[in-house]
Amino acid sequence: MSMLDRKLARDLGSMKGQFIAIALVIACGVAAFVMALSTLTSLQTTRSGYYNSQRFGDVFARLKRAPDLLAERLAEIPGVLRVQTRVEMEVTLDMPDMAEPASGRIISIPERPGRELNAVYLRRGRWIDPDRTGEVIVSESFAKAHHLQPGDSFRAVVNGNRVGLQVVGLGMSPEYIYEVRPGELLPDNKRFGVMWMNDRQLSELCDLEASFNSLSLRLARGAPMAEVLRRVDLIIEPYGGSGSHDRDDQISHRMISDEMKQLQSMATVPTAIFLAVAAYLLNVVLARLISTQREQIAMIKAFGYNGREVGWHYAKMAGIVALGGALLGIGVGARIGRGMAVMYAKFFNFPQIEFQVEWWQVALALLVTLGASGLGVFKSVRHAASLPPAEAMRPETPPTARVTWLERFGLMRRMANSSKMSFRSLFARPLRTALGVLGISMAVAVLVLGTFSEDMIRYVMESQFQRAQRQDFTVTFAEPADLSAVDEVRSLPGVQRAELFRAAAVRMRSGHHHRKVSLMGYGEERRIYPVLDMQMQPVPLRRDGVHLSATLAEQLQVVPGDTVRVEVLEGKRRHADLIVRGLVDDFSGSAAYMRMEGLWDLLAEGPTLSGAHLSVDEKDLGRLYQRVKDTPLIAAITSKNAIVQSFRDTMAENLLRMKVFIVAFACIIAFGVVYNSARIAASERSRDFATLRVLGYSRQEVSRLFLGEIGTLLALALPLGLLIGYGFAAMTVAGLATESQRFPLVIYPATYAFALCVIGVASLLSSLWVRRKLDELDLIAVLKARD
Amino acid sequence: MPDTSDPTAVFRAERVCKVYPMGDTEVHALRDVDLELRAGEFVVLLGPSGSGKSTLLNILGGLDVPTSGTVRYRDHDLTAYDDAELTRYRREHVGFVFQFYNLVPSLTARENVALITEIAANPMAPDDALGLVGMGQRTAHFPSHLSGGEQQRVAIARAIAKQPDVLLCDEPTGALDVGTGILVLEAIERVNRELGTTTAVITHNAAIAGMADRVFHLRDGRIIEVVSNAAKLPAADLKW
């Protein structure tokens, strides 16, 4: 090892605290980068491999009933490679291990597995024997939730027929990687499951012989999607088609894509923050080191080392810290990534998730780290390299202190001279002070950003489930029913109040904007399901106009008072122009509301109902469940509490795991910035402090001065951090908003307080740690040293 | 015009000026200095602070360049050198000793010497160099465990270990007491005598002048007098 390298090693050793702090900040950034990138690539590869092997469709549509021959017309659309027609039916399931009825979706599959689209991946058991009745392949996640094995059986109501189903296999499909009941956010595998049945048998059960009610298409590469969708809609409209859509509107595909989008932003934003902070820290620490080693640099150069050798010496020092941090980050990132893959395996039904960190991700992480660090230290290294040896031998001129502008306005007249000293020293290097403040504020911002989602979720839960949706259950009917359903619902066991509704699929148009939504018709008195406006006040729904969710109004670019074109996508398919009467704050997506009578007018089919919200006496639950299972009218029953509970359980677990990481990461930033700022302040000011001690200041007084300087930084950084955190949160909320979901920007004071406390305590501990150095001040040596 | 200069001259400076801009004014550190140093010679540059002796030494050592005039080292014109050439010149020919030693605190005595020998063409072993200055027993100590005089002797060992052609010493005893200062001067004297290294020592301590072959008196950036000592005093006999 050359002597210069030996010096390097010892310098690194003697400043290990500072360098470790920086390496940790780098490690956080790299860990986030590697975690997000490796998980993202793993998800991408896994999904596209699965899509290819199971031939996932490009276009999907539901209709009422169409003859099998229609498939030929669909196949003639330019760009269509393959047409898959099938029968799909929503069913009520009576599971032996659960009193409450579950709901499911049965999908038809061919007699023998072949080249069909959206093919079932058979995990266990066997394919269905077409000669036996009632055999089904059940989705693996539903089977797991109910401990079902091949050979087990359960009962179901299919199209009003009570049938016994026998499990012969467990499987999964690319259409249900995210297996969620329509309209819900999180999978509840106990209460919703997908299963597959022989085509002929299911058609018979659903009275759809030689017909289909669902289709999927595979398109040629580069086929004009919009044109294909338009032509599909034209063909299926007479058969009750309610509009076709591409993968982007396929729930499972969209949820995974949203997750990928989040991973993408996780690979960039936090990484950028951490690496920027690390670059700043490397810059100040190296600049300080070089200034304390001016005489060594002078001597080394005087003896004939050239600028390149000296510059390389210091660049290597930064490089080693960066590399150390990056390697640690890659290790930690890979570990967290593996954990994420395990978590994804819970939510997403893939045959397997192949997680691995690719060499190019490691290379990219190293490159990004070295690049950021290089930018950070470039100036200092160049300074060391170009420092003329004769100049390096003279002590550095101290930064020019001046009367700060605050003082000029007389704001500091009453301040002690010793405090002025601290104050002016902060102002003497305004850029460094500003960046230090920014660095600490980033720690606060990261904490706010990392924890505010909890507030958001709590707010949504409270406003949605306690104020807007007070029902215990919602039942939906298999088919729109006439008013006799009212009595049938009211007579269900335990029902205290029932509020019926009619839902119709419509397309809303305004200018060239259009959206497919559910138009909900409600009665006049709505106590358990009031529709609330932006101020959380009940909305007076109208017969002669619609209320739109804020998201929908924005998508259609309309405001109250404007008119929208409403095209009904079912029944007589009537069109009408309706006035927008007001806006509804609806976090869970695009929807439109009006009085039920108005909807009936629009549908022109007389009074019909789609379902009801119920409040139920808990002691009658068992009987209610039993009755629902036996009532062909009711296709599905959803319990609000079950949704809330599963939401809480899943979210709580994930949020807690995230919070642990975020708090750790934020503390590392705070520690990195405060510790280094304090070390540098202590080293730069040791002469001042020693002088004060010689002149009779006590240790406590000097400590107070020193901590006061750090305190000033904190006092500036904490509020700024809250502000930046709010900005980050607002950006995140805007980024998370999708067609179907929008989240409110809600940050409770407790979240701010938590961020302030954590960063305040972390900062205090790091500066106290450094303060011990002041007790070791060698008063005489410090005064004798030339610098 | 016949060349009157001494053919054994190692350094030849002619009409050397150095001007530092200081805000609105200019400080003339050197004014029209002419000087020659001969091979193997021991010279002392004597003068009060601000007389320009450090500037002159820095220019001879290739650390600084004059504002005008020429400086030749043997047949090289230092004033025509760029930074890289000056670096190579220092690397190959010059040894420095500084008033404040300038040892690397994170390297031991031996390592401080080795730092320089590993970039030299024909160095002596670090231990030999340390032995020459009487530090053979303390080679593994870090600078913080050495006294000022010991540190300065390590610095001398470091300067001579690469066997330089010239040894330039900037106030080598300035930070030391008399006894220690004498030890350091003895080390320099021995190097000059045994290795034949041309040696220039700058000091404001007139007593040191006694051990030189020649003494250059400087004041206000000029050489005002050159005195040749008929008989040199051994460093051990110096008193101040």
Side-chain angles (χ1 to χ4, degrees), chain B residues 145-157:
Chain B
H145 297 134
L146 299 173
S147 72
E150 288 173 326
Q151 288 186 54
Q152 192 60 299
R153 281 185 285 157
V154 173
I156 294 167

Side-chain angles (χ1 to χ4, degrees), chain A residues 100-228:
Chain A
E100 190 186 332
S103 58
R105 174 176 289 174
I106 303 193
I107 303 167
S108 68
I109 47 172
E111 290 199 1
R112 240 168 255 101
R115 299 288 302 162
E116 75 274 17
L117 299 185
N118 309 309
V120 173
Y121 177 89
L122 192 63
R123 175 78 101 189
R124 284 181 57 201
R126 61 166 171 84
W127 201 255
I128 289 158
D129 181 344
D131 296 329
R132 297 197 202 174
T133 52
E135 287 191 352
V136 285
I137 295 171
V138 175
S139 87
E140 190 186 35
S141 45
F142 184 73
K144 266 191 190 154
H146 290 281
H147 309 289
L148 292 174
Q149 306 286 342
D152 290 347
S153 58
F154 56 91
R155 302 191 67 76
V157 179
V158 183
N159 193 30
N161 308 306
R162 286 183 62 87
V163 292
L165 299 177
Q166 196 188 6
V167 179
V168 296
L170 309 186
M172 51 182 68
S173 139
E175 274 185 288
Y176 297 95
I177 295 172
Y178 193 73
E179 189 177 350
V180 66
R181 197 194 325 234
E184 284 176 18
L185 270 183
L186 288 168
D188 182 350
N189 294 322
K190 257 191 123 49
R191 293 179 182 80
F192 177 77
V194 176
M195 48 210 69
W196 294 270
M197 194 181 217
N198 173 274
D199 190 31
R200 189 173 38 78
Q201 282 186 32
L202 187 60
S203 300
E204 276 171 24
L205 276 174
C206 301
D207 305 319
L208 285 167
E209 289 96 339
S211 328
F212 62 93
N213 69 356
S214 164
L215 66 92
S216 181
L217 308 177
R218 185 100 188 204
L219 304 187
R221 195 182 292 273
M225 180 58 79
E227 177 59 15
V228 170

Side-chain angles (χ1 to χ4, degrees), chain A residues 10 29 33 124 290 313 413 492 523 557 582 612 676 773 778:
Chain A
R10 299 217 177 113
F33 184 75
R124 284 181 57 201
I290 287 167
H313 173 68
R413 208 164 287 154
L492 289 172
Q557 308 244 305
N676 277 304
K773 296 259 161 206
D778 180 345

Side-chain angles (χ1 to χ4, degrees), chain A residues 3 6 10 296 301 305, chain B residues 90 98 105-106 111 115 118:
Chain A
M3 287 307 137
R6 197 164 289 188
R10 299 217 177 113
Q296 294 180 40
K301 286 191 172 176
Y305 279 91
Chain B
R90 294 198 302 270
F98 309 100
S106 56
E111 289 164 350
L115 177 67
E118 65 191 20

